[in-house]
Amino acid sequence: GLVVVDEQHRFGVEQREALRLKGRQPPHVLVLTATPIPRTVAMTVFGDLETSTLTELPAGRSPISTTVVPAADKPEWLERVWRRIREEVGKGHQAFVVCPRIGVEPTVSEADLDGDLGDFPADEFTGRRPAVAVLDTFDLLTEGPLHGLRIAPLHGRLLSDEKDRTMTAFADGRIDVLVATTVIEVGVDVPNATVMAVLDAERFGLSQLHQLRGRIGRGSAPGVCLLVTDQIDGSPSRERLDAVAATTDGFELARLDVEQRREGDILGAAQSGRRSQLKLLSLLRDEDLIVRARQEATELVAVDPELSKYPLLAAELAVLAADDRAEFLEKG
């Protein structure tokens, strides 16, 4: 009778649909996410999803401040990042250091292990150095700026038991600094963690960054998120990071995500990108028009559900209903 999908952005269209189809008759479906994917934003605008927005922090949460650290322009700021982590550990708190890559040649793709490496065009980084890796960063911090602290790596290539032991030790306060990939993006609740440094932050998507920083500020002490980048001021990548630093509103960031990645296809499985059946309509530019059209359609169907007075419209809808893609209209 009811399907609830938490962290909706972690599932594909067909995965969510498989849950819905388990009911003998179509069940009620509730999806939750702090960072709606572009397809979801599109469906809320088109009226295919009713929305409830929770704008206040959950009980017991503390505010999170986010700062962009331009490491190339101001290397002394990066040194300050490590000092800031030491200060928090000195107060009895803990820290995350997040990297886009595991390091060393993997036997399977790291995207399969840790999720998408970012929501950006791959050629944006052509010619650049490899992304910062967990294994390299762990060695660097252990021998360098965080020497003497209790540091541990965490990534998707570790065995499940080893990951569980590491996370348990971190939750119990036996590890000061966790150097990790996006395996910590969801499901990690350590109220004592107050600071997060995201290295090569421009290599993560907007939604990923918002989810990652949600791992701190979960207790009584405020959280500090530091987005480290070598991107210059004014570049598209830097503007994305500045946008994350400017707001903690996940839905606002989701709309910006739509602007940059497009909404995908509500008549297909693409959850983002430029593959769309819309020829002339722009989701964000024409939002008011879409909402008005939805209202008109609702009123029209209420008084003439068979569209007997509108044969041309009925014919167009019949063509759409006969298309295999029409089934995607029912998929969240």
Side-chain angles (χ1 to χ4, degrees), residues 195-232:
V195 60
M196 172 179 287
V198 183
L199 307 185
D200 279 351
E202 76 281 354
R203 297 187 185 242
F204 296 91
L206 291 171
S207 296
Q208 279 186 311
L209 291 172
H210 185 62
Q211 287 286 338
L212 285 167
R213 70 176 167 189
R215 301 311 100 199
I216 58 176
R218 303 176 76 86
S220 58
V224 177
C225 182
L226 304 168
L227 305 178
V228 180
T229 181
D230 59 7
Q231 295 298 289
I232 61 173

Side-chain angles (χ1 to χ4, degrees), residues 141-325:
L141 296 179
T142 301
E143 299 169 4
L146 300 184
H147 177 72
L149 300 185
R150 298 170 297 175
I151 309 175
L154 183 69
H155 53 77
R157 210 181 299 151
L158 296 173
L159 297 176
S160 295
D161 289 349
E162 192 172 357
K163 284 190 286 189
D164 290 343
R165 284 196 300 270
T166 300
M167 274 311 308
T168 298
F170 187 67
D172 291 345
R174 290 180 278 122
I175 294 173
D176 298 319
V177 181
L178 199 61
V179 183
T181 57
T182 54
V183 292
I184 65 163
E185 185 178 336
V186 296
V188 175
D189 186 13
V190 182
N192 194 45
T194 57
V195 60
M196 172 179 287
V198 183
L199 307 185
D200 279 351
E202 76 281 354
R203 297 187 185 242
F204 296 91
L206 291 171
S207 296
Q208 279 186 311
L209 291 172
H210 185 62
Q211 287 286 338
L212 285 167
R213 70 176 167 189
R215 301 311 100 199
I216 58 176
R218 303 176 76 86
S220 58
V224 177
C225 182
L226 304 168
L227 305 178
V228 180
T229 181
D230 59 7
Q231 295 298 289
I232 61 173
D233 191 23
S235 66
S237 295
R238 181 67 177 275
E239 289 177 356
R240 282 202 301 270
L241 297 183
D242 290 339
V244 175
T247 182
T248 55
D249 185 334
F251 208 85
E252 183 177 337
L253 289 175
R255 292 182 67 83
L256 181 59
D257 204 9
V258 172
E259 288 182 18
Q260 296 181 348
R261 292 203 289 158
R262 298 294 296 273
E263 64 270 13
D265 191 2
I266 62 168
L267 294 181
Q271 302 199 112
S272 65
R274 298 182 180 276
R275 288 172 48 201
S276 175
Q277 302 304 314
L278 301 180
K279 297 296 189 295
L280 301 176
L281 207 60
S282 166
L283 177 69
L284 297 181
R285 184 192 66 217
D286 300 318
E287 180 176 358
D288 290 343
L289 176 62
I290 295 169
V291 170
R292 283 164 47 204
R294 172 74 179 185
Q295 293 170 343
E296 291 279 352
T298 301
E299 294 170 4
L300 181 61
V301 171
V303 297
D304 186 4
E306 301 299 326
L307 299 179
S308 57
K309 298 180 180 178
Y310 304 93
L312 292 179
L313 179 56
E316 288 292 331
L317 290 177
V319 171
L320 174 61
D323 193 318
D324 290 342
R325 294 169 300 177

